[in-house]
Amino acid sequence: NALCRIIDFDFDIVAPFDEINTILQAIMVPLSQMEVFKKTCDRGTPQQEAADICQKVNQCAECFLMDCYMGMAPMVGSPREVAAACIALALRYTRRQLPLVGICEVIAKAIPTLPVHRVQPVLEECLYIFKCQIQSKKAQSVRLTLTSGHAGTIPHVPIAHSTGTKRKRQDELLEPLREPFMKGIGSSHGMAKAQRTSSP
């Protein structure tokens, strides 16, 4: 008891979740000035559309952030860099026309302490996790098909998540577009595939 009182355990630890909203607010103006983003705006001005998608991007970034804890991403970068990488993925998910490199450049322009070369390694780790999830679900579907005896159908089996209802909401939000999303970004940003396959 005395030792616990001495240590106090009064820590104020910064988590990536704490950084998402701050980074998002900082990049809204530079994002609305991005030429590729302007071309995707067909319902209003770029400023209005950037504000409209802000909440959805925030939710998607939180979903990507929960996924990234299944891999090495939090070990690769600081909490702020991890949050920035998840925001970049969320923006790419929300507006498919936006290139990931361009989004990272917008973030770097708005927040100089988050340059592209610091965010990109975290981004690649997040993408690697995403790719592994897709491959795992494909393998599970194949196994279920083989054991069910119906080669033409793949039964849907709900996956239980230890993180509860929030994680369930994450799957509902991301699942319909997971595979086409990966097809659009997998090849252009390098997953360090050679390194991973050659490692023991």
Side-chain angles (χ1 to χ4, degrees), residues 3-168:
L3 184 59
C4 289
R5 285 195 297 271
I6 293 170
I7 297 176
D8 192 20
F9 292 104
D10 186 15
F11 304 139
D12 185 15
I13 299 173
V14 178
F17 286 99
D18 302 326
E19 300 285 350
I20 288 178
N21 190 57
T22 303
I23 296 172
L24 260 180
Q25 295 304 319
I27 69 171
M28 283 296 103
V29 173
L31 178 67
S32 65
Q33 296 170 349
M34 187 181 181
E35 288 301 322
V36 182
F37 182 79
K38 289 179 182 179
K39 293 177 182 178
T40 68
C41 299
D42 52 4
R43 299 180 183 177
T45 65
Q47 292 79 7
Q48 288 173 336
E49 294 215 17
D52 290 343
I53 66 171
C54 189
Q55 184 177 0
K56 184 178 180 180
V57 172
N58 196 318
Q59 291 175 347
C60 288
E62 288 184 357
C63 291
F64 281 115
L65 190 50
M66 285 190 287
D67 271 352
C68 87
Y69 277 99
M70 292 189 288
M72 298 295 291
M75 305 289 290
V76 173
S78 67
R80 206 166 204 210
E81 290 162 2
V82 173
C86 292
I87 287 171
L89 286 172
L91 276 168
R92 175 66 172 81
Y93 178 83
T94 306
R95 291 290 172 99
R96 302 299 177 83
Q97 301 90 333
L98 302 181
L100 273 174
V101 173
I103 296 169
C104 290
E105 288 171 353
V106 167
I107 294 173
K109 180 180 177 182
I111 307 172
T113 55
L114 291 172
V116 175
H117 71 274
R118 297 289 296 273
V119 176
Q120 191 167 0
V122 185
L123 197 55
E124 290 179 355
E125 286 296 330
C126 293
L127 290 173
Y128 181 73
I129 296 163
F130 212 0
K131 185 177 180 181
C132 287
Q133 285 182 327
I134 293 171
Q135 291 174 342
S136 175
K137 289 190 177 182
K138 281 184 177 179
Q140 184 186 38
S141 296
V142 170
R143 287 196 300 270
L144 289 170
T145 304
L146 292 174
T147 56
S148 66
H150 301 286
T153 59
I154 298 179
H156 171 70
V157 178
I159 299 174
H161 295 292
S162 59
T163 49
T165 57
K166 192 170 185 179
R167 190 56 185 274
K168 183 180 178 182

Side-chain angles (χ1 to χ4, degrees), residues 169-191:
R169 186 187 67 182
Q170 169 195 0
D171 260 17
E172 290 172 353
L173 181 64
L174 295 182
E175 184 62 31
L177 294 172
R178 260 190 170 130
E179 188 164 351
F181 174 81
M182 282 302 303
K183 285 181 180 177
I185 59 179
S187 59
S188 60
H189 289 88
M191 308 287 295

